[in-house]
Amino acid sequence: MYLQGDYNMTTQSLADTLATYGIAVTGLTTTQIQVAERQQRFLVELSKHGVMQPSCDASKVDRHVVNRWLDSDTLAFRRRYQSQMLAHAEHLYEIALNRVEKPKHNLGSDTLLMRMLEARMPEVFRRNVEIDAPQLEALMALR
């Protein structure tokens, strides 16, 4: 059985996705299922684009609606959103590894890629800055 919408998503795939986050489709209203479908359409696009506006455009979901879902965590949307952002960050990491392994095939800015990785995976790519006591005192004096 197919749920409403243009994305050809089966009831089972949506049920499996929601069950991962502790939500049973059988307990949802028709309206909640429609919301879950719209969320899933957006999340599929988010995993491709990695940023909100192109994902909104491609899924035909308004940015304000996405922000409302994030704020209210409707149907565990916040965790699902974070999961897709992580998937996209991992995709960027794959690109970076590919550039290391095949440097002659690079088709983009390595600097831009590194900045994107720093933003998406700061625990791995953040810049570490050490400040000793005299430097800290100098910075505090500037306040």
Side-chain angles (χ1 to χ4, degrees):
M1 175 180 161
Y2 288 95
L3 297 175
Q4 300 168 355
D6 302 327
Y7 284 79
N8 221 18
M9 186 185 318
T10 65
T11 304
Q12 189 59 44
S13 65
L14 180 59
D16 290 345
T17 299
L18 292 176
T20 302
Y21 296 92
I23 299 169
V25 171
T26 55
L28 299 179
T29 66
T30 302
T31 301
Q32 288 172 318
I33 291 172
Q34 291 169 344
V35 168
E37 288 176 320
R38 291 180 67 209
Q39 289 177 340
Q40 194 68 14
R41 283 198 319 256
F42 170 80
L43 292 169
V44 165
E45 295 301 327
L46 183 65
S47 70
K48 295 176 192 174
H49 300 285
V51 290
M52 190 180 291
Q53 194 58 56
S55 304
C56 288
D57 294 343
S59 64
K60 296 178 176 40
V61 176
D62 188 86
R63 180 184 193 101
H64 300 294
V65 172
V66 173
N67 285 326
R68 189 172 60 237
W69 291 337
L70 285 168
D71 290 343
S72 65
D73 199 23
T74 305
L75 299 170
F77 184 74
R78 191 177 306 124
R79 288 181 287 155
R80 294 163 52 216
Y81 179 93
Q82 291 166 344
S83 175
Q84 292 308 312
M85 292 299 287
L86 178 60
H88 189 264
E90 289 171 349
H91 172 69
L92 294 176
Y93 187 70
E94 282 181 54
I95 292 171
L97 289 176
N98 189 37
R99 288 187 181 181
V100 169
E101 293 168 359
K102 301 174 187 171
K104 291 184 180 183
H105 300 287
N106 288 345
L107 297 174
S109 166
D110 290 336
T111 303
L112 179 58
L113 179 60
M114 282 307 301
R115 296 298 172 260
M116 291 174 73
L117 285 166
E118 287 172 3
R120 301 294 171 122
M121 300 176 80
E123 65 283 354
V124 176
F125 291 98
R126 95 176 126 240
R127 296 177 184 200
N128 293 323
V129 178
E130 293 183 25
I131 299 176
D132 60 20
Q135 292 171 326
L136 181 59
E137 288 175 15
L139 287 173
M140 296 301 284
L142 294 175
R143 292 175 94 194

